[in-house]
Amino acid sequence: MASQDKSINTDVPEKDVFALHFLQSLSNLKTQNPSNSPDKTNDRVKKIKMAAYVSMARAAGGRRLWSRALLRRAASENNKIVRFPRRKRRVTWLSRRRCNRRAPVEEKAADRLRDLVPGGGEMETSKLMKETAHYIKCLSMQVKVMQCLVDGLSPK
Amino acid sequence: MENELFMNAALPPPPEMAAHFETPSSSSAMLNWALRDPNLALNSSPQDCFLWEKSTEQQQSIFDSALSSLVSSPTPSNSNFSGGCGAGDGFLIRELIGKLGNIGNSSGEIYGTPVSRSASCYATPMSSPPPPMMNRATPLTEFSGDPGFAERAAKFSCFGSRSFNGRTNSGLPVNNGNIINAGKLTRVSSTPSLNALASPEFASASRPMIPAGESTPKLPGEFSRKRKTVSKAKSKENPISTASPTPSFSKTAERKEDWDGKGIKSSEEKGGKRRREEEEDEEEGKGNKSNNNTKQPEPFKDYIHVRARRGQATDSHSLAERVRREKIGERMKLLQDLVPGCNKVTGKALMLDEIINYVQSLQRQVEFLSMKLSSVNDTRLDFNVDALVSKDVMIPSSSNRLHEERLQSESSNHHQQLNNYNSQLHPNMMLQSSMNSLETSTLARNFTHLPTLTQFTDSIPQYQMFSEEDLQSIVGMGVAHNTSNESQHMKIEL
């Protein structure tokens, strides 16, 4: 059973890990602000969203660029240190390319994609494609799990 | 024998080799003689006598000259061998080149022979082969082949130090399969340089036969021409080599000795500084060239890898660009499979647009869902909190299994059915949906490789998570029964 699972989970983003992290963070949120104040819904939504992304990044592991970028961003927002071995290159590909010469249509589109994919600014285009693929996988997984959660938790 | 000889010659002479070669030549010529003797004895021929005579002469005269004869003695064999059929100088050389090339083939195989042995072998075959060849040789051929002698002698005297350099001049990698060529060119390039040196020696050795003055001026000129074609570096040496032998033939042997000392052991000996410098330069050049040669294959591979088609640009930038584009294209295909509706679109830009839209939609969905969750969270998530935090990480899978068994015992029949169904449906299922009993209303989640979290308080929807990829992983049994639309298990239950 376990071995089979391993074989399954090699590439596919792991739902259960994500769900675990997500539920944990949700519960943490709950404990942090137990008072159900409806006025801070916006803030709350943001936090939940952030939790969802962070847990997705955690589920994806530290090997992906986008997950690292997400975790970095979360850390900077939270002022909490997330330990991850850093890559050396911090010069953003995006900025370099933007200030650079002519950009074909594809490159423009790729730049838009860079804005969407976390950490995309640092990526070279082919790398960006790869990361985007994984990111899309993880996102769809996340959406599914969250959908299930919502469905499960919402009252009849 | 010839082959052996040349194989040894074709060996890349390392410094040790040079040292080996020098020691017998300068200090103990007797050793060489001793080595020669058995071979000569084996080759019982009139020419042996001739050789013996020569050798005795040389012994009488000087040891050094003995060396020169040693060096020169094989040359007649070579000359006969190559130029046996009426050898003109150019013809001889050509022949030599061809032969050396051939031998270079064989030499490549025996490349790694130990140096010491090669040195010893070097002495023996050199001396031994001549007799049989000399048998056939008429004096005339000897005369005609005398440049060949000189050449040979020069080569052998020099190869200890020079052939290495000569190889560098050839500009071919030493360690590659091009050794053959390298060897060939080495000979050619190296021989002429000392040719002038050796020829007077030969003249001194066989004084009656040849007027030395004739051979010497003629040869260097010719070889210098050849040499220019081969390499520039050698042409520098030409004046030196030509200048040195000419002045006095009486001292040629000694001088040759000196040359052996300096030329072979160039880095160590004093004097002949120019030569040494040149050689060093050549060696440096050789180092560079070898580096270049080692580097060459890699880009070559790249070229093969990229393989510009007809009409495509072949400079490195466009090749790199093409590689990059190909890579991007591959990844795009990968993305195409992921993004629904992307297959119909053609063109990278449109495809990227599609991908962007998809990602955006997913992100929006996440946002929307998180909003929903935030609204839901208040009412429903309370129970989760404690249970999750407390039990989440701690419970091992075995306890989970126990729990499942208990569950099974509780709601045996129904549960069994469901499990069976699940196993049939998803053989690889990560989670055997443990409970479908509404009565127990426990929340059980199986994390197969993670610690499981099993039981929650009452009045809680059951979560069965992650049964399959597309399956909605959480099913609210008690509460969200109706809302869960796609779950197979729910259908069963319904």
Side-chain angles (χ1 to χ4, degrees), chain B residues 71-114:
Chain B
V71 174
S72 63
S73 59
T75 55
S77 76
N78 296 329
S79 68
N80 292 330
F81 191 76
S82 61
C85 44
D89 291 349
F91 181 70
L92 250 178
I93 293 157
R94 251 176 278 129
E95 277 271 285
L96 272 171
I97 291 168
K99 199 170 63 169
L100 288 169
N102 290 334
I103 293 158
N105 282 326
S106 62
S107 72
E109 299 163 7
I110 316 184
Y111 206 66
T113 52

Side-chain angles (χ1 to χ4, degrees), chain A residues 129-130 133-134 137, chain B residues 329-339:
Chain A
M129 296 294 150
K130 209 177 171 187
H134 193 254
K137 272 186 200 169
Chain B
E330 282 175 20
R331 305 263 164 88
M332 286 282 258
K333 271 179 193 166
L334 207 139
L335 270 172
Q336 212 175 3
D337 297 337
L338 282 176
V339 179

Side-chain angles (χ1 to χ4, degrees), chain B residues 179-255:
Chain B
I179 289 167
I180 311 151
N181 295 330
K184 196 199 299 179
L185 285 179
T186 305
R187 299 299 141 51
V188 175
S189 60
S190 62
T191 42
S193 62
L194 280 187
N195 175 28
L197 277 182
S199 56
E201 290 167 13
F202 179 78
S204 67
S206 58
R207 219 165 286 153
M209 297 183 196
I210 312 163
E214 283 182 13
S215 65
T216 42
K218 189 173 61 177
L219 285 174
E222 203 211 333
F223 280 115
S224 65
R225 255 181 279 133
K226 190 112 193 175
R227 196 181 310 155
K228 276 168 193 168
T229 61
V230 175
S231 65
K232 284 185 244 167
K234 285 297 171 186
S235 63
K236 288 178 193 169
E237 289 177 14
N238 188 16
I240 308 165
S241 59
T242 48
S244 58
T246 41
S248 62
F249 292 117
S250 60
K251 291 180 183 177
T252 47
E254 293 172 1
R255 190 168 284 213

Side-chain angles (χ1 to χ4, degrees), chain A residues 125-140:
Chain A
T125 309
S126 61
K127 185 76 178 171
L128 176 77
M129 296 294 150
K130 209 177 171 187
E131 293 290 323
T132 309
H134 193 254
Y135 184 60
I136 285 176
K137 272 186 200 169
C138 284
L139 262 184
S140 55

Side-chain angles (χ1 to χ4, degrees), chain B residues 369-386:
Chain B
L369 285 172
S370 59
M371 257 169 65
K372 259 193 168 181
L373 266 180
S374 72
S375 67
V376 161
N377 210 359
D378 302 335
T379 56
R380 289 290 161 183
L381 208 63
D382 329 355
F383 61 84
N384 268 350
V385 178
D386 305 326

Side-chain angles (χ1 to χ4, degrees), chain A residues 1 5 8 15-16 19-20 22 24 30 44 107 109 112 116 126 129 133 135 148-149 151 153 156, chain B residues 324 331 338 353 356 363 376 378 380 392 428-429 447-448 463 465-466 468-469 472-473 479-480 483:
Chain A
M1 190 66 186
D5 289 340
I8 290 169
K15 298 177 202 168
D16 44 1
L20 175 67
F22 188 48
Q24 264 182 338
K30 194 72 187 170
R44 190 179 180 79
E107 286 303 325
R112 277 198 288 148
L116 289 178
S126 61
M129 296 294 150
Y135 184 60
C148 288
L149 267 180
D151 288 345
L153 289 175
K156 274 190 239 179
Chain B
R324 178 178 153 271
R331 305 263 164 88
L338 282 176
D353 278 344
I356 288 165
Q363 283 176 344
V376 161
D378 302 335
R380 289 290 161 183
D392 209 29
N428 294 330
M429 222 156 53
F447 296 117
T448 51
Y463 291 92
M465 295 188 69
F466 327 122
E468 259 306 90
E469 299 144 314
Q472 298 205 350
S473 51
V479 187
T483 54

